[in-house]
C-alpha cells in the first residue's frame, strides 16, 4: 500500500508451520468420502465392481492440497463450512461427468464451496487435484477489488471457465508441489520453502479465477501508470531477499490485478509476472552461492518445476544453475 507517497511492503504472512503429508489407499467409498475432513461428503457407487481409490494431501497453515483418484463411477454430495473454500481441477476425466447439473469436459475450475453444497457425478478413473483455503487466508492475501472478486467466485458451487493457459499453469503448480514433497520430503520442514509454495499457489489460483475483461477500458493517466510501476519496482527492491507474487504486489500497492497488468503493459510492454520472474531468477542466482543444493535455491524463489527453472535460468544467464552452484561450492585444491 502507499503511505506518505511511498510504496510500503505488504504485511508479511506469518511463517508457515512444516507441511504435513498424508496418503491413503481405500477400498471403501465411505472411507474415501470421509478422508477430506470437513467436506461432509457422501458417496454412492454407480458402477459395478470392487471400489479402489486414493487420496494424497499436503496440509499447512490455513491451506491444503489434495489429489484424489477414484476407480468407480460415483455420485457425490458434499458441503463445506462457510469460511472454507475449495477449487478442483481434473487431471484425468473421461466419460460422462456432471457437476451441479452442468456437463464437465475437464476444461473448467470446479468450485466446491458455498452454502448450497455441491453434487458431482463422476466417471470411473477420475483424478482430481485441487486446493482448499480458508477465508482468512484469502483476506490476508488480497485486498480491495481483488479480494471481493475472488470471494464472489468462490461463494457458490459451479464450473468456472478460464483460459486454458491459466488452467494449465495452476495444474502445473499443483502437480509440481506434489512431486516436490514426494521426491524431497525433508523440504516440508522448511518454512521458507512452504511459504514459497503457498505464494505460488495463491498467485496462480487468483490468476485462473480473475476476470480480465475491461482491462483495455481502464482510464489511468500516464503519470499514474508510471507511478504504479515505479512503486512496484520499489516494493520488489525492498523485498530483494524474498520472492514476491503479483498478488502480493497488488496488495502492497492497493491496486487491482487488472490495473497492475494494464500499467506494466503500457509502461514497460511486459506483464508484471514476466518482470517478477526475472527478479526471482536473479534471486535464485544469488541464493545458489550459499544454498545447500540447487533444489533448495529454486524452491526458495518459488520455482517448483525444476526442468523449466533450469531452462529459464540458462536462457537468462547463459549457464545452468548447476554450473553456478558448482562454481561457488567447488572445494579449493589441496596444497
Amino acid at each position: 500500500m502507499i503511505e506518505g507517497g511511498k510504496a510500503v511492503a505488504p504485511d508479511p504472512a506469518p511463517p508457515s508451520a512444516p507441511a504435513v503429508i498424508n496418503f491413503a489407499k481405500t477400498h471403501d467409498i465411505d472411507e474415501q468420502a470421509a478422508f477430506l475432513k470437513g467436506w461432509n461428503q457422501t458417496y454412492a457407487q454407480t458402477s459395478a465392481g470392487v471400489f479402489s481409490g486414493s487420496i494424497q494431501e499436503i496440509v499447512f497453515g490455513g491451506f491444503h492440497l489434495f489429489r484424489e483418484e477414484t476407480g468407480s463411477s460415483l455420485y457425490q454430495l458434499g458441503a463445506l463450512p462457510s469460511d472454507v473454500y475449495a477449487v478442483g481441477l481434473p487431471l484425468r476425466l473421461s466419460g460422462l461427468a456432471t457437476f451441479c447439473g452442468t456437463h464437465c469436459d475437464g476444461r473448467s475450475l470446479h468450485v466446491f464451496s458455498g452454502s448450497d453444497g455441491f453434487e458431482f457425478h463422476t466417471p470411473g478413473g477420475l483424478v482430481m487435484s485441487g486446493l482448499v483455503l480458508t477465508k482468512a487466508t484469502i483476506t490476508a492475501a488480497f485486498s480491495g477489488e481483488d479480494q471481493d472478486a475472488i470471494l464472489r467466485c468462490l461463494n457458490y458451487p459451479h464450473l468456472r471457465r478460464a483460459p486454458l493457459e491459466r488452467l494449465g499453469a495452476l495444474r502445473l503448480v499443483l502437480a509440481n508441489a506434489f512431486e516436490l514433497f514426494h521426491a524431497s520430503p525433508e523440504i516440508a520442514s522448511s518454512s521458507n520453502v512452504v511459504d514459497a509454495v503457498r505464494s505460488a499457489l495463491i498467485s496462480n489460483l487468483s490468476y485462473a479465477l480473475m476476470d480480465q475483461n475491461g482491462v483495455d477500458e481502464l482510464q489511468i493517466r500516464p503519470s499514474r501508470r508510471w507511478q504504479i510501476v515505479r512503486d512496484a519496482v520499489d516494493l520488489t527492491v525492498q523485498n530483494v531477499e524474498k520472492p514476491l507474487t503479483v498478488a502480493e504486489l497488488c496488495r502492497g500497492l492497493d491496486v487491482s490485478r487488472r490495473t497492475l497488468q494494464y500499467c506494466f503493459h503500457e509502461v514497460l510492454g511486459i506483464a508484471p509476472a514476466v518482470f517478477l520472474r526475472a527478479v526471482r531468477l536473479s534471486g535464485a542466482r544469488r541464493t545458489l552461492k550459499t544454498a545447500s543444493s540447487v533444489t533448495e535455491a529454486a524452491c526458495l524463489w518459488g520455482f517448483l518445476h525444476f526442468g523449466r527453472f533450469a531452462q529459464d535460468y540458462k536462457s537468462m544467464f547463459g549457464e545452468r544453475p548447476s554450473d553456478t552452484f558448482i562454481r561457488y561450492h567447488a572445494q579449493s585444491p589441496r596444497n
Side-chain angles (χ1 to χ4, degrees):
M1 61 191 65
I2 308 300
E3 293 181 2
K6 293 181 63 179
V8 178
D11 295 333
S16 295
V20 176
I21 304 169
N22 298 319
F23 175 76
K25 289 186 176 181
T26 67
H27 295 284
D28 182 276
I29 59 172
D30 295 329
E31 290 179 4
Q32 183 86 12
F35 199 92
L36 289 174
K37 300 295 187 294
W39 284 54
N40 301 305
Q41 291 189 114
T42 58
Y43 287 0
Q45 186 170 326
T46 58
S47 63
V50 176
F51 175 79
S52 64
S54 66
I55 289 271
Q56 298 179 63
E57 284 188 315
I58 306 171
V59 184
F60 40 101
F63 205 95
H64 87 259
L65 317 182
F66 66 89
R67 186 179 187 274
E68 180 178 21
E69 184 166 357
T70 50
S72 304
S73 296
L74 299 174
Y75 179 69
Q76 307 178 18
L77 292 172
L80 282 82
S82 60
D83 62 342
V84 176
Y85 301 94
V87 175
L89 270 172
L91 302 183
R92 186 171 71 224
L93 176 66
S94 58
L96 179 63
T98 57
F99 185 80
C100 297
T102 303
H103 173 68
C104 307
D105 60 8
R107 294 183 293 177
S108 297
L109 291 163
H110 290 58
V111 179
F112 293 95
S113 42
S115 59
D116 295 336
F118 65 88
E119 58 179 74
F120 192 11
H121 182 259
T122 68
L126 173 72
V127 180
M128 175 72 73
S129 187
L131 59 165
V132 184
L133 62 168
T134 63
K135 184 174 183 178
T137 300
I138 294 173
T139 56
F142 306 98
S143 61
E145 181 181 329
D146 286 350
Q147 183 184 119
D148 293 341
I150 289 173
L151 289 175
R152 283 196 303 270
C153 290
L154 299 178
N155 205 36
Y156 65 102
H158 66 291
L159 292 176
R160 184 170 183 83
R161 287 284 184 180
L164 292 180
E165 68 273 13
R166 300 187 192 183
L167 295 180
L170 182 57
R171 276 196 184 95
L172 186 61
V173 74
L174 284 166
N176 290 342
F178 277 106
E179 182 180 344
L180 169 66
F181 286 113
H182 176 75
S184 306
E186 72 280 359
I187 290 290
S189 63
S190 169
S191 61
N192 288 335
V193 170
V194 170
D195 286 338
V197 173
R198 186 172 179 269
S199 293
L201 286 162
I202 289 175
S203 184
N204 279 276
L205 174 63
S206 66
Y207 187 52
L209 287 172
M210 296 297 282
D211 184 359
Q212 294 298 302
N213 290 337
V215 171
D216 294 336
E217 300 172 6
L218 290 175
Q219 297 296 320
I220 303 175
R221 63 185 186 277
S223 60
R224 176 60 177 153
R225 296 176 212 159
W226 275 102
Q227 189 61 55
I228 288 173
V229 171
R230 287 183 60 187
D231 288 341
V233 173
D234 287 345
L235 278 184
T236 305
V237 171
Q238 292 173 30
N239 292 272
V240 70
E241 298 303 323
K242 176 185 180 296
L244 289 180
T245 65
V246 174
E248 288 168 332
L249 271 185
C250 291
R251 182 171 178 81
L253 298 171
D254 197 21
V255 299
S256 69
R257 186 172 190 130
R258 70 191 191 113
T259 295
L260 190 67
Q261 293 269 92
Y262 175 78
C263 291
F264 263 80
H265 277 295
E266 290 295 305
V267 174
L268 299 180
I270 60 173
V274 173
F275 167 75
L276 288 178
R277 190 172 190 83
V279 172
R280 288 163 54 217
L281 283 168
S282 295
R285 185 174 178 84
R286 290 194 306 273
T287 302
L288 282 168
K289 299 176 183 179
T290 57
S292 61
S293 67
V294 173
T295 297
E296 179 188 0
C299 290
L300 286 173
W301 285 91
F303 294 103
L304 307 184
H305 190 292
F306 301 132
R308 180 169 295 179
F309 166 64
Q311 292 173 2
D312 291 348
Y313 188 96
K314 186 173 182 179
S315 295
M316 177 69 78
F317 302 116
E319 64 179 3
R320 298 172 300 177
S322 57
D323 296 331
T324 306
F325 182 83
I326 290 170
R327 187 170 67 254
Y328 283 106
H329 292 266
Q331 294 182 355
S332 300
R334 294 180 179 177
N335 295 330

